[in-house]
Structures are given as C-alpha cells and as structure tokens.
Amino acid sequence: MSIYQHYRPEEHEFVDRVLHWKSEVLERYSPRLTDFLDPREQEIVKTIVGNDTEVRLSLWGGSSFSERKRALIYPDYFDAQNEDFQLVCYDIQYPAKFSTIEHRDVLGALMNIGVKRGKYGDILISGDRVQFICATEIAGFIELNLTKVGKTGIQLHTIQEDELIEVKTEYNEKSGTVSSLRLDVVVAEVYNLSRAKASPLIQQGRVKLNHKIVDHVSTEMMEGDELSVRGFGRSKLIAIEGTTKKEKWRIRYGLLK
C-alpha cells in the first residue's frame, strides 16, 4: 500500500520532503527544524512523523493560538523547548491616527522585499495593533529592509511571545449533505450557493484550499480542509460523517465568525 494514496497528487512533493526530514533525523541523530507550515502541511507532518517511535515531533508558532507553525523533528534524546523553534516576534509601530494597516498590506510588504512565505508565520491584527512572527535566520534582513508597509513608514519593535495578540479562530458549525466531495459541490453547500455560481469562483482563482489557490472544480475535499472564498470568507470542513441511505455524504463544516 502506497503512502501517497492518502494525499492529493499536488501534495506528493511535500510528502517526499517530510519523508526526507524524517530520514535525515534518523541518519544524523540530530534535530531538524522546518520553515513555517500552514495547517494542512502540519497535518501531513503529523500523519507521517507524529506516531513514529524513533523520532518525535513538536509544532510551535509563537503561541498556543498560532495558525502557522514551524515543525521540529528530533530523536528521542532531545528535549524540545520553545526557544528551539528560533522565532522572533515583532510589533509594527506606525502613525495609526493617519494610516490603516491590514493583513494583506503586511503580506505584500514582506513579499516585496523578497521574504519567502515559509520564513514568517502569523500576521496578527487587533484594532491598530499589528504584529508578526518570523524565523530568526531572516530577522536581520527584515529589520534592515522592512521600513514601509504600503506607503506608511514603520518601525519594528521586538516583543516577547507572551506579548502577542491573542487571535482565536472560532467557527459557526453547521451540518449538511452533499452529492459528492468535489470542491464545487462543497463550496456551494458551505456558502449557500448554486453550483452554477460556485464553479466560476473556483475557475477564476477566487477560492483557496488549504491556503493555496485551486482552480479545478473536481478537486476532492478531505476532512480538516480549510477553504477561503474571496468575498465570502473562510470556512473549514470539520468532519465527514459517512453517507445517507440515498448515498449522499453527511458533512459538518464551520464558517469563521
């Protein structure tokens, strides 16, 4: 039985990476720290490494409520601590009376200076407070180059992990039935749309599945998948609860509050 049958074809490359990390730890008998992983990547690492008796796994992104986390894969002799995840937390200081900074603005500013997405974690915003977490190895570069977010001049201040804004992800849960687990069918159910309206949203690149744009309407969804539909919000396929007598899938899903 192939390990790949449990994952989508587009996930096979990441599965190979995880298998390589695991082998590396076993061969070198030393820890391996990854870049920041999105929730779906974390689930894949957990399924491949999490139950192994020869290596251990810890995930940390700066706080208990972090969405994006680094994975530390290590041999049994190693005692993992939060500092081993090599994180730096920043508070962005800016003239809040005259400017507004949104999540996408920070994302764009980091991309514009050439920082790869895997090198920084959550971007936290509450009112006019803006924070983000990055990998220690890229912190010096960010401090030198991130001087503006959009047209707004900023200053970065290092903060401790216990000073991070607490952002909780809460969902309004609902249940429903779908004829299949195709992306267009599930999007239509979750967002109360017809398939005729759901399909173009996917084809136009307005739908993200596990933080990545997917434009194939026939993509099969899996339990734990996260959706983001531009203009409609975020959701999660919490559980697939079997089939009805009419051979429809019973699903439980949540819309972000």
Side-chain angles (χ1 to χ4, degrees):
M1 186 182 294
S2 170
I3 189 173
Y4 299 105
Q5 71 175 4
H6 302 292
Y7 307 100
R8 298 186 180 91
E10 61 268 23
E11 294 174 334
H12 292 180
E13 183 180 347
F14 182 73
V15 169
D16 287 337
R17 264 192 281 162
V18 178
L19 291 169
H20 176 72
W21 294 336
K22 181 180 171 182
S23 297
E24 198 175 58
V25 171
L26 289 169
E27 290 170 9
R28 298 182 181 180
Y29 207 54
S30 61
R32 176 67 159 82
L33 179 64
T34 74
D35 283 345
F36 286 93
L37 308 177
D38 65 39
R40 175 58 183 164
E41 290 170 333
Q42 292 167 40
E43 286 302 313
I44 293 173
V45 175
K46 280 192 244 181
T47 59
I48 296 174
V49 180
N51 297 319
D52 197 287
T53 56
E54 296 182 90
V55 294
R56 294 181 180 178
L57 169 69
S58 292
L59 296 158
W60 185 246
S63 70
S64 59
F65 50 84
S66 294
E67 184 174 82
R68 297 179 65 86
K69 301 174 184 177
R70 301 187 87 173
L72 186 65
I73 304 167
Y74 52 95
D76 55 10
Y77 77 86
F78 191 81
D79 183 22
Q81 304 294 326
N82 285 357
E83 53 264 31
D84 295 314
F85 290 86
Q86 300 178 30
L87 307 178
V88 179
C89 306
Y90 289 111
D91 192 270
I92 297 179
Q93 301 290 306
Y94 67 102
K97 287 184 179 180
F98 308 104
S99 305
T100 300
I101 291 179
E102 298 181 359
H103 185 282
R104 61 184 178 185
D105 301 323
V106 182
L107 197 66
L110 288 164
M111 289 177 64
N112 287 339
I113 63 171
V115 181
K116 293 180 180 178
R117 189 64 185 95
K119 292 300 181 184
Y120 56 97
D122 288 1
I123 297 167
L124 307 169
I125 297 179
S126 178
D128 58 8
R129 297 178 66 199
V130 183
Q131 302 172 344
F132 71 95
I133 303 108
C134 77
T136 300
E137 62 266 25
I138 202 75
F141 176 83
I142 287 177
E143 289 172 13
L144 281 173
N145 293 279
L146 189 63
T147 57
K148 283 187 174 184
V149 172
K151 295 180 180 179
T152 304
I154 66 160
Q155 289 185 323
L156 297 178
H157 289 266
T158 307
I159 57 174
Q160 300 301 309
E161 290 182 352
D162 61 8
E163 297 177 84
L164 288 169
I165 301 164
E166 184 171 355
V167 178
K168 292 182 179 179
T169 304
E170 296 181 347
Y171 294 95
N172 286 316
E173 290 194 24
K174 294 184 178 182
S175 296
T177 59
V178 289
S179 58
S180 78
L181 296 171
R182 282 169 50 119
L183 182 59
D184 58 343
V185 176
V186 176
V187 166
E189 165 65 25
V190 171
Y191 294 97
N192 195 25
L193 301 169
S194 67
R195 283 179 68 182
K197 288 185 177 179
S199 295
L201 293 174
I202 298 166
Q203 293 163 339
Q204 292 163 11
R206 293 176 61 184
V207 176
K208 286 186 178 181
L209 176 62
N210 298 320
H211 307 271
K212 297 175 178 66
I213 293 174
V214 177
D215 56 10
H216 297 294
V217 296
S218 59
T219 298
E220 286 279 307
M221 289 199 63
M222 301 167 69
E223 190 169 281
D225 279 347
E226 295 190 10
L227 282 170
S228 175
V229 181
R230 199 187 316 152
F232 293 87
R234 292 174 59 186
S235 63
K236 183 175 183 176
L237 180 56
I238 297 169
I240 299 169
E241 299 177 329
T243 55
T244 67
K245 291 179 180 179
K246 294 183 178 180
E247 298 186 350
K248 288 192 172 185
W249 291 96
R250 285 195 299 267
I251 61 171
R252 185 156 45 90
Y253 56 89
L255 285 159
L256 191 67
K257 291 183 180 179

